[in-house]
Amino acid sequence: MIKIGRVTVSLEQREVYVEDRLLQVGSRAFDILELLIRAEGQTVTKDEILRHVWPKSVVEENNIHVQLSAVRKIFGADSQVIRTISGRGYRLTIPVVTHEPVGSCATAPAEQTVAASLNGLPVCHAPLIGRDEAIADITRALKGAPIVTLLGPGGIGKTQLGIAVARSIAAAAGMDVCFITLASVDNAQSVVGTVAAALGVGRADGDIPLQSLVAAIRGRKLLVLLDNCEHVIESAATVCETLVQASADLRILATSREPLRTRDEKFYWVAPLETPEVHASAQEILACSSVRMFLAQMNALNTVVEHDRGSLEMVATICRRLDGVPLALELAAARAAVFGIRKLVSELDDRFQCLTGGRRTAPARQQSLEAALDWSYQLLSVTERVVLQRLGVFAVRFSLEAACAVAACGKLSRNEVTEAIVGLASKCFLMTTFDSKTKEYFLLETAREYALRKLYESDEADEVLARQATCLAPDYEQPYGRVFGVAALGVEPLIEAVAGR
Ligand SMILES: Nc1ncnc2c1ncn2[C@@H]1O[C@H](COP(=O)(O)OP(=O)(O)OP(=O)(O)O)[C@@H](O)[C@H]1O
Ligand SMILES: [Mg+2]
């Protein structure tokens, strides 16, 4: 282990800790950190960095700045630890101390901890981007609550974040981890069996009493990562509540597109990755986590994106219009690697047609952007589906009043619309504002396009658009016009509308 101020680095494991907390550091940032450490205070030139970190590609110097700012972030307030030597390169300003592992993060060699405790937890080879703060927040939440649920729409990164938190807790607190995915469980009865099999007390298809699970976890300091609960939410909630009431040493980190709604549960809404503002500078664009993720994906596909103003603005538009959702960005990068970013930008209005090239090994619901939404849509009630398609006409934030004015028609009363809005918000289709006295709602752009598709497939599109125009004309005359629809709205106003939220 190597110590630099408050930071501990394992060059063998490629792990970085700050006060016992495992940080997620990108592989390029780690490569630069390693170079600086090995230089023992000598200056590392930019050429050396380019040769070491990007041995096979020609990239611009800007890439160094981006990676270097990630390395500086590791040191937080001590960011002066890395000094820029003008025109030449960088060097560490404080001595590097090599020492034997001490403290809780290193009481056992990291590999031993991994083998002993990360039962079934997938290994992530690529670093998580932009989630350090979330990992710290969720870890903290798990100290105070037995169940923490990571919530968010499909592909926002719940599973990956859960895995990173579990790894970090296992490393820092020596807690056993058990990863259980419910994604392929198709009926409520199989939930107990699936959990039992993962805990080693039965077969997934067996008829296991809940009490056997209780016996299996009692006395164990255990973190269960229960992934993809939304489609079997009630059974998952029953299992979670029963288990945490039986053992004070158990922690459950659940991921779901909807809250479990159990006793003592804390919710953590997984936010999209940061997206650049409309007039952001090149540096600001490159610093955004969604942009870093998109570029990392392009890079992994051996495609270099130029860092000229025009290209960066196109990347910024892609990230913004895909709402900073990692799965969408991954699909977009796969498309752009074949057809280029300019074509991708022109296709964003038709995103469901073009974002279809998911990884062959990804679950079916992550093979395309549409499949990701279909998975959630099929869990909606009939009323929620109707209200969602009607709400698609809102391109900007709207109040409950406005929603009722547009959506309470036909057979739907205001009360039913209100209830459906609560359902849509809790199922992560509708986003709500946190900061206003009066709650307002909005649809992310992809969800809105999906809702509009459903509206146009129905026979009520004309009626709903007419209601929207007549009920709300005074509020919506400026600046976006009265008639909403992807075509009528165009790209730029929508970008501004999203940015202005
Ligand atoms: N912060 C991140 N940095 C890099 N890649 C990410 C990040 N978050 C997610 N991804 C990638 O995006 C894709 C979707 O992530 P993930 O499977 O965690 O989403 P999810 O919210 O669990 O989706 P679902 O609701 O379908 O289960 C994955 O391929 C994952 O590797
Ligand atoms: Mg998931």
Side-chain angles (χ1 to χ4, degrees), residues 154-160 181 183 227-228 230 255-257 363 365-366:
I156 196 97
K158 303 177 291 293
T159 300
Q160 295 305 315
T181 176
D227 196 30
N228 272 108
E230 60 273 340
T255 81
S256 176
R257 297 187 188 181
R365 64 172 195 286
Q366 296 193 343

Side-chain angles (χ1 to χ4, degrees), residues 270-284:
V270 179
L273 298 178
E274 290 163 87
T275 54
E277 300 283 333
V278 174
H279 300 296
S281 67
Q283 217 150 13
E284 285 165 341

